[in-house]
Amino acid sequence: QQSDPLILATNVYANLANPALSSQAPNHPAPITPSVTQIWQVGEALSPERADVLDVAGNVIRNLQTPHIFSARQAGTLEFGGLNPLRLTFLGVGTADPSMQRTRMLSSIYSQIYKAKATVGTSYGAYHYTAGNQIFGTAFAATVSSVSTAVMYFAPGNYLAYATRGPMSHLDSLPVTAFDNQTNINHAFVVFPPTLPPGWTSFDLPAPTQATTGGFNPGEMLSSAVSEGVQVVARTEEDVVTDPIALQAEFRAEIDTTVVSDAQRAPLGNDPFVVGARSSTLADGFTTALFTPAPTTDRNGGARPSKGWNLADFITQAEGAYNVVHRPCGPNGLFTVRGFDRTVPLGTGVNAWWTQTGPASLGKHMGDFDALELLRAQGCNPADPTAWYAEFAAARDDWFAILNQQTPTTFTKGLGFSAAQFSLDTPVGLARTYLNIGPTLTTILQTGLSQVEQALQNNIAPSYGDISAPMMASILAALQKGAAVASTGPLLDVSVGGVGPGGLVPGPNASVSLVINLYAPDWVPVDEVRVVVNG
């Protein structure tokens, strides 16, 4: 165990001639030099708070921080072993917020023998991550004896602990008082699952992961998504084709097992669904192709190198069914690099690039991308969001100008993504896109769940290709027709004559009536609704 610094270390065989004098080694003026033949003993662990917690004899007489255990139970059920996704946030009341180093808890390891994931505990599906004053995870249980519970350390004082599963769920809170020699350290939340109106689902596209140019690992990304109530996540890497089916199957391997009951699995359902994607950093900005082909055994999964491509080349060569331009008004964004004037027709003047092709575009134009990233959570400083909001407002007004030149059947969509690179400052789903995939959603989920149950009963691993295919087709269809609402939480379901987002209303009409349904819990404030007509 080399994790503890050495203090009062004794070289057992420092003096071979007289072993009794070995205890004098720590006081020897020369440093002790380790070698493979020497045996070391550690008297005690070194701590900067040593004088505050020990007496002169070395006995622990007080604790500066107390561990508290947090568990969760699904509302309306007596299931205590349920896999409850959750995000916990801890705030100090009259004292500093607690803060812990980044740690992760997994219930499986990679087995060199079986060349696959091997479960090493009874905490199935536990992808739990702690950093700063937050903990999020996939499977919080209601029994404090389970390792699926969460632990946060508190200095003496008063705190508030918050638990939620995204902006569409109930926000539960508990008071926490910490003091030395505390024995009552168990706290239980009651979890209400997030709810959306029938036919709607939530979708997010985080940044690439540690596999290429990002900051978190794929399991962390999916855990952050389900703890924030995001049902569909796009897995993208820079110039690498991803395998969404393999990632979902690996993530669910210790969830969809006969050891876990259907009741315990219920809070997770079939989530998360994963969309395959690839991204590239072009001279025209950062761009992502969604719904890419399955990876091959070729280098980078068969992704073609993007060096020298322009946006038109990417649209063709990345082989995605749906292409998104990120941060169009950012420092290296498409509109910043190429220039854009809201008053000039597309394909002319400063906007001439819109209809230009590329040497490898096979006739595709630069303006043939499907969507702009209008709302991006990454990079927003809550203390001063001025610069972030200015960029958002510019992109929004540019989008309005583009829509005014397009037709109702072929238009550029506007989406919202977390673009999360680190889970601590930007959780997956902090910005998201709600998609209306229609009444087939319930049928898709019920069909997928029955397929999982049938496979488990037959001791067969579920086939996520079969389960995900109809869901992915519905997601792509909703994106293509624009049945999408970008948001940081609330959902506005707007309809005209019974036709919702992505639909067409017959015209011309002297006037129309809007029906606006707002979906948001009471802790998410919505003070104003604006209706924008023709930009």
Side-chain angles (χ1 to χ4, degrees), residues 328-329 334-354 372 394-405:
C329 296
L334 176 64
F335 295 169
T336 304
V337 173
R338 291 285 180 172
F340 184 76
D341 190 326
R342 300 166 191 162
T343 64
V344 175
L346 300 177
T348 65
V350 69
N351 299 338
W353 57 266
W354 190 274
L372 290 172
R396 179 193 59 189
D397 292 344
D398 289 344
W399 182 52
F400 288 157
I402 292 171
L403 292 178
N404 281 340
Q405 299 189 45

Side-chain angles (χ1 to χ4, degrees), residues 179-198:
F179 53 89
D180 190 22
N181 295 320
Q182 191 170 5
T183 57
N184 184 13
I185 57 173
N186 298 317
H187 311 274
F189 290 104
V190 177
V191 180
F192 292 81
T195 56
L196 286 173

Side-chain angles (χ1 to χ4, degrees), residues 224-239:
S224 182
V226 295
S227 66
E228 288 292 331
V230 176
Q231 189 168 36
V232 185
V233 187
R235 162 78 189 282
T236 190
E237 299 295 349
E238 191 157 355
D239 292 334

Side-chain angles (χ1 to χ4, degrees), residues 238-466:
E238 191 157 355
D239 292 334
V240 173
V241 176
T242 61
D243 189 340
I245 295 175
L247 177 59
Q248 185 185 33
E250 181 182 355
F251 188 82
R252 297 275 312 196
E254 53 193 87
I255 297 169
D256 293 322
T257 170
T258 54
V259 182
V260 178
S261 69
D262 292 342
Q264 291 172 327
R265 248 191 317 269
L268 270 171
N270 287 325
D271 299 347
F273 291 91
V274 185
V275 175
R278 65 154 294 181
S279 301
S280 292
T281 299
L282 311 173
D284 300 316
F286 195 72
T287 309
T288 295
L290 297 170
F291 300 93
T292 47
T296 68
T297 56
D298 295 337
R299 184 179 182 181
N300 296 329
R304 296 165 182 164
S306 61
K307 184 177 181 179
W309 287 355
N310 66 12
L311 179 56
D313 297 327
F314 179 90
I315 292 172
T316 299
Q317 298 297 331
E319 300 184 278
Y322 197 88
N323 296 281
V324 180
V325 170
H326 297 277
R327 293 192 70 184
C329 296
N332 302 308
L334 176 64
F335 295 169
T336 304
V337 173
R338 291 285 180 172
F340 184 76
D341 190 326
R342 300 166 191 162
T343 64
V344 175
L346 300 177
T348 65
V350 69
N351 299 338
W353 57 266
W354 190 274
T355 55
Q356 292 174 358
T357 60
S361 70
L362 303 181
K364 286 286 187 179
H365 304 94
M366 293 188 62
D368 289 342
F369 58 90
D370 297 283
L372 290 172
E373 181 189 51
L374 295 184
L375 190 60
R376 180 186 181 94
Q378 191 270 338
C380 178
N381 179 8
D384 183 10
T386 305
W388 173 87
Y389 187 83
E391 182 179 322
F392 158 71
R396 179 193 59 189
D397 292 344
D398 289 344
W399 182 52
F400 288 157
I402 292 171
L403 292 178
N404 281 340
Q405 299 189 45
Q406 295 176 324
T407 69
T409 55
T410 306
F411 63 95
T412 302
K413 283 69 179 179
L415 306 177
F417 300 127
S418 68
Q421 186 176 15
F422 299 101
S423 58
L424 177 60
D425 57 9
T426 312
V428 176
L430 188 58
R432 63 186 66 196
T433 298
Y434 293 114
L435 296 175
N436 188 350
I437 64 176
T440 59
L441 175 60
T442 301
T443 303
I444 292 171
L445 298 180
Q446 289 177 345
T447 302
L449 187 59
S450 63
Q451 289 176 343
V452 170
E453 293 173 347
Q454 187 63 46
L456 292 174
Q457 290 173 3
N458 297 328
N459 291 319
I460 300 174
S463 173
Y464 287 96
D466 296 337

Side-chain angles (χ1 to χ4, degrees), residues 30 81 145 188 197 277 405 481 499:
S145 60
Q405 299 189 45
K481 70 179 183 179
V499 180

